Amino acid sequence: MTADDGGTTRAGRATGDDGTGGTGGTGQGARHAGHPGVEEDIEEGDPLALRLESLILGAERRYTPFQAARAAGVSMDLAARFWRAMGFADIGQAKALTEADVLALRRLAGLVEAGLLSEPMAVQVARSTGQTTARLADWQIDSFLEGLTEPQEGLSRAEITYPLVELLLPELEEFLIYVWRRQLAAATGRVVQAADDAEMVDRRLAVGFADLVGFTRLTRRLEEEELGELVEAFETTAADLVAAHGGRLIKTLGDEVLYAADDAGTAAEIGLRLIETLTNDETMPELRVGIAFGTVTTRMGDVFGTTVNLASRLTSIAPKDAVLVDGALAEELTRNGDAPKSEAEVAAAEERGEYRFALQPMWQRPVRGLGVVEPWLLTRREGG
């Protein structure tokens, strides 16, 4: 089933348990591409598409949405909320669902009934999982399978796809579970190390933005394929550097990446590494980086709050190929011994090379929506 990243649907609202258009559709499944396996070509009886769907889902179609909800023991309204949160379009009462759909509904509803999750939290679980896996599936089809299913002599792409998916599916499934468990373990560790319960939700983090300079001009000058390659190279480089140095990539926005780190030194190191690495790549435009430190609200893998807004504003005013940080991050660096507090300390520690970073105060300036701020130019100390 394909997904709508917004977690919403085009057809109307869900109705009750009477089975009359329970997911808001008209009953014409072929008109609602996007729900489990319901695509135009499949509804028209494409045998290969049906075989692929059965292979990937591991089961045959058996249920309408109303029948699936009833088999799972949940109301049609709750089932529709879960499906929409996962990003599945309304399909009316087409018979398109499998035992796996019933089991998924039963599991989510069971977590609510057992008191392990509230109903709104269960919907959030469905939405976050749907949005994340939708992006992953789109990438795998667009960039992965497409490149591996080039037509060969005597065989069409469609004929190559089925045996390839059959071979890859179990391996990719196991790998997905492995990575998810690793990420879950890391995220859980960060939460339990929080100083108190409040810090688990509103945490103090260093947040950094890295933005390619002149990207809008590049979009007019480069061919689409060249632009796509540049963006992919930028995102890949940034993701690798963030991960390698202990940060977390929050999201990529084409010409911009947002990352976070638990401490100021890690965020500063990542920011400078990004500048240093991309400066040595002649194919890349200049880069601006802005970093701020403070309380951040985390939700569904994203970060929000004044600290995030400040980091974004610092990025927009940073010089080319430079890192600007706010006063709070500068203070953290000096408090932790990563940067000197004064010029006297610089002179005393020059020979010993005690500090990784140098900080230079910039002119105070008003920043839209945040008042007057004093940015600091972050650089690496020679030999740091």
Side-chain angles (χ1 to χ4, degrees), residues 167-204:
L167 288 170
L168 286 175
L169 187 63
E171 302 301 324
L172 291 177
E173 183 177 24
E174 289 296 324
F175 185 70
L176 174 63
I177 293 171
Y178 156 73
V179 175
W180 171 70
R181 284 182 177 273
R182 271 287 179 185
Q183 295 286 5
L184 188 63
T188 303
R190 290 193 295 269
V191 169
V192 298
Q193 290 172 20
D196 51 46
D197 289 345
E199 192 178 326
M200 292 184 185
V201 179
D202 296 319
R203 306 170 58 193
R204 286 178 63 78

Side-chain angles (χ1 to χ4, degrees), residues 231-282:
V231 168
E232 184 174 356
F234 169 57
E235 291 183 349
T236 300
T237 300
D240 288 349
L241 284 171
V242 169
H245 294 281
R248 298 186 299 283
L249 187 69
I250 303 300
K251 59 186 173 185
T252 60
L253 304 170
D255 62 331
E256 189 174 57
V257 296
L258 169 62
Y259 69 91
D262 292 325
D263 65 274
T266 297
E269 182 66 30
I270 292 170
L272 290 172
R273 292 274 183 174
L274 286 169
I275 296 290
E276 293 160 358
T277 302
L278 295 184
T279 299
N280 292 326
D281 188 340
E282 295 181 354

Side-chain angles (χ1 to χ4, degrees), residues 37 41-42 45-61 158-166 169:
D41 55 352
I42 295 179
D46 186 323
L48 178 59
L50 286 169
R51 287 177 60 215
L52 275 170
E53 178 192 284
S54 180
L55 170 66
I56 294 170
L57 297 181
E60 300 289 340
R61 301 177 179 188
E159 290 170 322
I160 297 170
T161 298
Y162 187 92
L164 183 63
V165 170
E166 191 173 28
L169 187 63

Side-chain angles (χ1 to χ4, degrees), residues 296-374:
V296 173
T297 298
T298 59
R299 187 178 179 85
M300 290 180 63
D302 208 342
V303 291
F304 307 92
T306 302
T307 302
V308 181
N309 295 337
L310 179 54
S312 178
R313 300 288 191 271
L314 289 171
T315 306
S316 66
I317 64 175
K320 295 178 181 179
D321 287 333
V323 180
L324 279 189
V325 305
D326 73 331
L329 190 125
E331 184 179 342
E332 280 291 303
L333 290 177
T334 58
R335 187 174 66 84
N336 294 332
D338 288 318
K341 297 180 181 178
S342 65
E343 290 300 318
E345 284 192 4
V346 172
E350 191 70 41
E351 295 183 1
R352 297 193 298 272
E354 292 180 354
Y355 300 111
R356 289 195 288 165
F357 310 116
L359 291 164
Q360 177 186 340
M362 308 292 283
W363 291 104
Q364 289 186 354
R365 58 182 299 171
V367 174
R368 180 167 54 88
L370 297 171
V372 177
V373 299
E374 181 182 6

Side-chain angles (χ1 to χ4, degrees), residues 278-293:
L278 295 184
T279 299
N280 292 326
D281 188 340
E282 295 181 354
T283 67
M284 284 289 172
E286 294 98 339
L287 190 70
R288 293 188 178 101
V289 177
I291 313 173
F293 184 84

Side-chain angles (χ1 to χ4, degrees), residues 25-108:
T26 62
Q28 302 300 314
R31 296 291 104 193
H32 296 278
H35 209 289
V38 182
E39 301 290 345
E40 296 282 352
D41 55 352
I42 295 179
E43 286 298 301
E44 291 169 6
D46 186 323
L48 178 59
L50 286 169
R51 287 177 60 215
L52 275 170
E53 178 192 284
S54 180
L55 170 66
I56 294 170
L57 297 181
E60 300 289 340
R61 301 177 179 188
R62 287 189 56 187
Y63 302 99
T64 67
F66 174 71
Q67 290 169 340
R70 185 171 57 184
V74 304
S75 70
M76 189 63 236
D77 180 67
L78 181 59
R81 289 182 64 199
F82 284 151
W83 285 325
R84 288 171 175 173
M86 285 184 274
F88 307 146
D90 294 337
I91 60 168
Q93 289 304 320
K95 183 174 287 189
L97 307 186
T98 71
E99 288 289 350
D101 297 294
V102 172
L103 181 59
L105 281 179
R106 193 176 292 150
R107 280 175 170 160
L108 272 177

